[in-house]
Amino acid sequence: MIHLQNVEKVYRTDTIETLALSNINLHIAKGEFLSIMGPSGCGKSTLLNIIGLLDAATKGQVLIDNQDTTHLSDKAMAQFRNKKIGFIFQSYHLINDLAVQDNVELPLLYRSSSAKERRQRSAEALQKVGLSNRMKHFPKQLSGGQKQRVAIARAIVGQPEIILADEPTGNLDSAMGDEIMNILLHLNSTEGTTIIMVTHDEYMAKKTHRLVRLFDGSQVQ
Ligand code: ADP
Ligand code: ADP
């Protein structure tokens, strides 16, 4: 479902060129749960941003669902991203002055869904992560693990085929990390969502189907 062919990423400014990714070839099947590991600065976030159509490769091809995304306009790319991809970050990226349920509804605002539909779908997503009892709370009233569950609900509310997770357990203690990992594993096995997760944690990576290691912008495994 996701094919990267000879992907290269160079960050350029007037004075500096940084080769962040070089000759990446990666084929990710529908329903696969893949983890990406490697030292800080090796290109993990860059790779996730390229797969998530948040940033463009400087060379090579990125195919998602057999569609070549390399030459899409910014608008088409945003639509594609909104429809197919959900994002989860290490630091949750919730909006503090919106209640939990309103945070979860954010991705639906770009779609033509009614307020009633949004209410229903956000409630369902929160139920899937076990937070039906926190819908009216605000992020600061939640634990780290609960905040990440809200972020997962926000990522899945639009029923994306792909979830990209950048160190989803990085800020959590091991019990909460396990809880988040179990939700992702369950989502992957019951709904067939393709998940790509960056992690520093070998223990979490071992629970996924496949591990890709990066070093200095190249695939080493
Ligand atoms: P990781 O996620 O593995 O820590 P990144 O993908 O963030 O690595 O970064 C890969 C390399 O690209 C690093 O050497 C980093 O300094 C460089 N880099 C990342 N973003 C930019 C940017 N916007 N401009 C220039 N260089 C960047
Ligand atoms: P955010 O979730 O706020 O975007 P990042 O994931 O970008 O934060 O992390 C910031 C920096 O810290 C990145 O360069 C990242 O590679 C590094 N980093 C994050 N977690 C770890 C970790 N567990 N061990 C080592 N470096 C880490």
Side-chain angles (χ1 to χ4, degrees), residues 39-41 44-45 89-93 166-167 170-171 200-201:
S40 198
K44 303 182 296 296
S45 296
F89 305 94
Q90 178 173 2
S91 47
Y92 326 122
H93 294 190
D166 199 345
E167 298 214 40
N171 282 343
H200 278 89
D201 191 331

Side-chain angles (χ1 to χ4, degrees), residues 11-13 18-20 38-47 166 198 214:
Y11 290 106
R12 285 194 180 88
T13 66
T18 310
L19 180 61
S40 198
C42 70
K44 303 182 296 296
S45 296
T46 301
L47 181 59
D166 199 345
V198 164
L214 293 182

Side-chain angles (χ1 to χ4, degrees), residues 86 128 166 193:
K128 284 186 186 163
D166 199 345
T193 312

